Amino acid sequence: MRVVVDGRQVRSEADFHRLLAVPLDFGPYYGHNLDALWDRLSTDVERPVELVWTHWEESRANLGTEVFDKICSILTRVQAQDAEWNWRERFTFELLGARTPPA
């Protein structure tokens, strides 16, 4: 499954959670917080998932660097976990935008 998050629609952390919850079917009890995001992505979401975050620069500006970096850290950890567990079908994510993504 390919999920595209349009960063122009991410004006708050709540927006980010909302944009993922529907296509990834997080269900009615999803907590809409970063701990719940980790829980759902790391164990519950059926693979493969390719998350593409376009216009991430706008999201970063709207969310603030701290929140944006925390979200990216979770996405990176999920991706690394799937690779470490050598899963054939994995979660991957990519930041697409005009600038090079932050390190």
Side-chain angles (χ1 to χ4, degrees):
M1 167 189 301
R2 186 170 205 250
V3 177
V4 178
V5 173
D6 183 342
R8 296 171 294 191
Q9 296 178 359
V10 179
R11 293 172 295 284
S12 66
E13 184 180 336
D15 288 338
F16 182 80
H17 290 287
R18 180 181 47 77
L19 290 169
L20 284 188
V22 173
L24 294 177
D25 192 24
F26 284 172
Y29 302 108
Y30 176 60
H32 292 86
N33 61 60
L34 297 179
D35 289 332
L37 179 66
W38 165 257
D39 291 344
R40 297 298 291 171
L41 290 178
S42 66
T43 59
D44 297 334
V45 172
E46 187 175 337
R47 305 313 195 245
V49 172
E50 176 189 4
L51 175 64
V52 177
W53 193 342
T54 64
H55 307 282
W56 62 269
E57 303 94 333
E58 289 187 47
S59 297
R60 187 177 192 195
N62 290 330
L63 294 169
T65 301
E66 183 178 350
V67 172
F68 178 82
D69 288 349
K70 285 180 181 180
I71 291 170
C72 287
S73 175
I74 290 169
L75 301 176
T76 301
R77 285 176 33 218
V78 172
Q79 183 171 266
Q81 172 188 274
D82 285 10
E84 181 181 321
W85 290 354
N86 204 26
W87 286 359
R88 189 169 51 90
E89 295 183 335
R90 300 177 182 186
F91 173 89
T92 61
F93 95 101
E94 179 179 8
L95 298 174
L96 291 180
R99 297 184 323 161
T100 303

